[in-house]
Amino acid sequence: MATYIVGDIQGCYDELQQLLALANFDSNKDELWLAGDLVARGNQSLETLRFVKGLGDSAKVILGNHDLHLLAIWQGIHLAKSNDKLDVLLNAPDCDELLNWLRLQPLMLRHPEFDFVMVHAGISPQWTIKQAEQLALEVEAELHSSHFKTLLKNMYGNHPNNWSEAQQGDERLRFIINVFTRMRYCFLDGSLEFKNKLGPAETDSSIMKPWFELDSVDQSSPILFGHWAALLGKVNKQGIYGLDTGCVWGNSLTMLRWQDKKHFSFACTLLPIK
């Protein structure tokens, strides 16, 4: 059995199928771990969700920011944008079934054998990995409850951007969600910076750094993440693996086979989005 971890698919279903074929993925014996953002921007979000849900226990999924935003659109909290290309999914006869399934997926997973952890954006330098696991469960409990719409409505915003164990209610849940699904850079004290989407080479490291470059990051387990297309998977820190290589932006979809650390990549077949 092989364990594969793939970065942000974002509706690039055809590329996903080509990538799985390239790696000889066998759903009867292999595992596919998906680092969030299954949907939006690509043309085939519906096909992607149907396929991943259909893998059953062979697929291990976490939620990304686009997945959470899709749930908010589904619940009437926000309107869909045309460039997210979600109309086919939202009008599908099995939309409610698919999105109720998506709603029940976690924010963070740990592999029971290899002990790596997978998140969408990252783990706060202000947390330990064990603390992050407990905080993820707090959000998941709300998202899995009958009042999940309240969480989706209140998750938007950039404040607070600094962690305090004393935080409660919406602010606490919003900060946790922002770490797991939106974080890229942190200021040197570990607080979150939301505006910068550039690569590290274009950023003043005396002001802010990629979250994984801060010395306080807990590396007691390997960390795998997606979300940050500008990195193109280049993370110069042992034990940290970036998997988003910007397929939907005209680059490629990338997958890591954990057992031998081999990377598989398949180039985008569509014109990049603008």
Side-chain angles (χ1 to χ4, degrees):
M1 183 182 80
T3 299
Y4 296 93
I5 309 99
V6 66
D8 303 37
I9 299 168
Q10 292 197 244
C12 294
Y13 172 78
D14 288 342
E15 288 85 350
L16 175 63
Q17 293 303 315
Q18 295 285 351
L19 187 60
L20 294 174
L22 182 66
N24 294 314
F25 172 79
D26 183 346
S27 62
N28 293 314
K29 61 180 182 179
D30 298 330
E31 286 184 339
L32 181 63
W33 289 55
L34 301 103
D37 277 5
L38 276 65
V39 301
R41 306 287 176 85
N43 290 324
Q44 295 173 292
S45 291
L46 174 60
E47 292 86 346
T48 300
L49 285 187
R50 284 174 173 169
F51 172 73
V52 174
K53 180 176 181 291
L55 288 174
D57 292 341
S58 296
K60 309 297 180 185
V61 180
I62 57 170
L63 295 169
N65 53 303
H66 283 288
D67 305 314
L68 288 171
H69 186 59
L70 168 61
L71 294 175
I73 293 169
W74 170 53
Q75 289 298 306
I77 297 166
H78 283 274
L79 296 176
K81 296 179 180 179
S82 59
N83 64 352
D84 281 335
K85 302 175 183 177
L86 294 170
D87 287 350
V88 173
L89 168 57
L90 292 167
N91 290 300
D94 53 347
C95 175
D96 287 351
E97 177 186 349
L98 290 168
L99 298 191
N100 272 311
W101 167 81
L102 187 66
R103 176 172 67 89
L104 299 179
Q105 304 312 307
L107 285 174
M108 179 176 181
L109 282 172
R110 181 189 292 271
H111 197 284
E113 178 182 355
F114 303 122
D115 202 43
F116 67 72
V117 295
M118 181 177 70
V119 290
H120 178 61
I123 294 176
S124 171
Q126 298 178 325
W127 299 342
T128 66
I129 289 177
K130 288 186 177 180
Q131 184 181 11
E133 290 179 295
Q134 292 302 311
L135 295 173
L137 292 175
E138 292 185 24
V139 173
E140 291 161 22
E142 296 296 312
L143 195 55
H144 299 175
S145 73
S146 60
H147 51 268
F148 69 92
K149 187 173 179 179
T150 301
L151 174 72
L152 296 173
K153 182 179 180 180
N154 294 326
M155 69 179 177
Y156 292 91
N158 294 340
H159 297 285
N161 75 328
N162 207 359
W163 173 247
S164 168
E165 185 58 48
Q167 288 166 357
Q168 298 295 325
D170 294 338
E171 288 193 347
R172 181 182 180 92
L173 296 173
R174 185 182 307 119
F175 183 88
I176 296 168
I177 289 172
N178 281 339
V179 167
F180 281 122
T181 68
R182 295 182 59 210
M183 178 176 65
R184 293 185 179 92
Y185 285 99
C186 291
F187 294 109
L188 301 189
D189 65 354
S191 58
L192 305 181
E193 195 286 334
F194 291 106
K195 294 181 180 180
N196 188 2
K197 296 183 180 181
L198 300 174
E202 303 170 89
T203 299
D204 186 348
S205 62
S206 69
I207 298 174
M208 66 186 74
K209 291 184 178 182
W211 64 268
F212 50 83
E213 289 189 2
L214 269 69
D215 292 338
S216 56
V217 170
D218 181 0
Q219 289 192 253
S220 56
S221 296
I223 301 172
L224 297 97
F225 73 102
H227 183 59
W228 198 343
L231 293 177
L232 291 176
K234 297 176 182 178
V235 177
N236 297 317
K237 193 163 186 178
Q238 188 174 2
I240 309 286
Y241 300 82
L243 293 167
D244 182 8
T245 49
C247 184
V248 78
W249 298 101
N251 296 308
S252 61
L253 190 64
T254 293
M255 185 166 66
L256 171 68
R257 184 166 61 204
W258 185 255
Q259 282 81 353
D260 59 3
K261 306 302 185 290
K262 180 176 180 179
H263 283 82
F264 299 86
S265 184
F266 191 83
C268 175
T269 59
L270 300 173
L271 291 175
I273 60 174
K274 298 183 184 292

